[in-house]
């Protein structure tokens, strides 16, 4: 069973995807990390994120980089969004994602174009969203918990800018697949959102794959 989870930044899609993978005993790939690895490598190489050749040159990263917590910063998220607009970068990361999705038994993948491009035949497609204000509040609280100095307006502006870029790029923009189920987490706790996501997967698959009924 392939579960494709797409959505904007801070929508809760990462947490929901991880929990779905655990619940249904499936391997999980956070595809945003691949773009983050390109952004990080490009930064190390002193490249220009808006230059497709520089961005492509940063696609040859070692797999071990994907475990580096440095990829999780806001700056690297912004760079990831910028390098991800270049079609050669998307092509360079395409096979790895499709191979992961196609492994025997299936997988859960989260990103922006999983239901539309990477796994258009996925058994279940979720599009996880939330208002930009709710997402900015979550990001703000998370950064404060980590002891970072943060300004709410800066975070909201960054989220809006990232949405704009991810939704309006020419290749594989962020958008729900025609057959995706929308999950709006604006007014849900993370646990409620996870329970709804599990229920949606079970509804789509008639509970055939539920290994751990709650
Ligand atoms: O999910 P994330 O915040 O880690 O993703 C970082 C950026 O990577 C995101 O703003 C756009 C890009 N991305 C993409 O274009 N396609 C994906 N499947 C995943 C991420």
């Amino acid at each position: 069973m392939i579960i494709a989870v797409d959505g904007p930044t801070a929508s809760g899609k990462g947490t929901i995807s991880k929990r779905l993978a655990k619940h249904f005993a499936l391997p999980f790939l956070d595809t945003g990390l691949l773009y983050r690895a390109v952004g990080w490598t490009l930064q190390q190489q002193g490249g220009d994120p808006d230059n497709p050749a520089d961005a492509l040159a940063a696609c040859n990263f070692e797999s071990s980089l994907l475990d580096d917590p440095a990829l999780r910063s806001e700056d690297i998220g912004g760079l990831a969004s910028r390098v991800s607009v270049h079609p050669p970068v998307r092509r360079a990361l395409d096979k790895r994602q499709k191979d992961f999705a196609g492994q025997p038994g299936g997988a859960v993948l989260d990103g922006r174009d999983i239901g539309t491009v990477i796994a258009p035949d996925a058994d279940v497609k979720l599009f996880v969203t939330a208002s930009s204000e709710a997402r900015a509040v979550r990001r703000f609280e998370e950064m404060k918990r980590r002891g970072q100095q943060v300004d709410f307006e800066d975070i909201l502006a960054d989220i809006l800018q990232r949405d704009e870029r991810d939704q309006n790029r020419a290749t594989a923009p962020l958008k729900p697949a025609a057959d995706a189920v929308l999950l709006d987490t604006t007014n849900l706790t993370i646990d409620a959102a996870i329970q709804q996501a599990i229920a949606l997967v079970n509804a789509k698959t008639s509970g055939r794959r539920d290994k751990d009924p709650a």
Side-chain angles (χ1 to χ4, degrees):
M1 170 168 72
I2 301 176
I3 304 178
V5 184
D6 290 302
T9 192
S11 58
K13 70 180 165 35
T15 309
I16 290 171
S17 305
K18 266 183 237 131
R19 288 289 295 274
L20 284 175
K22 188 161 180 256
H23 185 90
F24 292 99
L26 291 166
F28 167 62
L29 180 64
D30 170 359
T31 65
L33 276 182
L34 303 177
Y35 292 92
R36 285 169 180 266
V38 177
W40 187 88
T41 305
L42 175 131
Q43 192 180 55
Q44 300 298 305
Q45 294 175 345
D48 172 2
D50 302 322
N51 177 318
D54 284 5
L56 182 61
C59 289
N60 276 336
F61 54 84
E62 297 287 334
S63 292
S64 58
L65 177 59
L66 299 175
D67 300 320
D68 191 331
L71 298 191
R72 312 255 172 201
S73 75
E74 288 304 294
D75 285 357
I76 299 298
L79 281 176
S81 174
R82 284 166 74 182
V83 296
S84 73
V85 305
H86 304 305
V89 169
R90 305 202 71 85
R91 279 196 293 277
L93 302 179
D94 193 84
K95 183 176 183 311
R96 188 178 189 142
Q97 297 173 77
K98 287 184 173 159
D99 285 351
F100 194 90
Q103 63 189 292
V108 180
L109 291 89
D110 96 48
R112 303 290 189 288
D113 61 341
I114 308 304
T116 49
V117 175
I118 299 298
D121 298 326
D123 302 87
V124 185
K125 298 180 186 177
L126 299 182
F127 193 85
V128 182
T129 185
S131 72
S132 42
E133 286 73 19
R135 291 185 287 129
V137 169
R138 288 175 196 165
R139 185 57 50 82
F140 179 73
E141 297 295 341
E142 182 189 322
M143 292 173 80
K144 262 201 331 199
R145 269 199 304 278
R146 286 199 229 127
Q148 288 169 272
Q149 288 279 358
V150 278
D151 178 77
F152 180 78
E153 292 305 324
D154 286 350
I155 293 177
L156 180 59
D158 185 64
I159 281 184
L160 292 174
Q161 190 188 26
R162 195 109 82 82
D163 285 355
E164 214 277 324
R165 196 186 296 117
D166 292 351
Q167 285 164 0
N168 294 313
R169 67 182 176 224
T171 308
L174 167 67
K175 64 169 184 200
D179 51 350
V181 182
L182 293 188
L183 177 53
D184 187 333
T185 65
T186 306
N187 297 311
L188 295 177
T189 63
I190 192 62
D191 283 336
I194 290 163
Q195 289 315 313
Q196 283 204 15
I198 291 171
L200 288 169
V201 173
N202 280 331
K204 275 267 171 188
T205 59
S206 311
R208 286 190 303 276
R209 299 296 305 253
D210 200 338
K211 297 210 158 59
D212 176 21

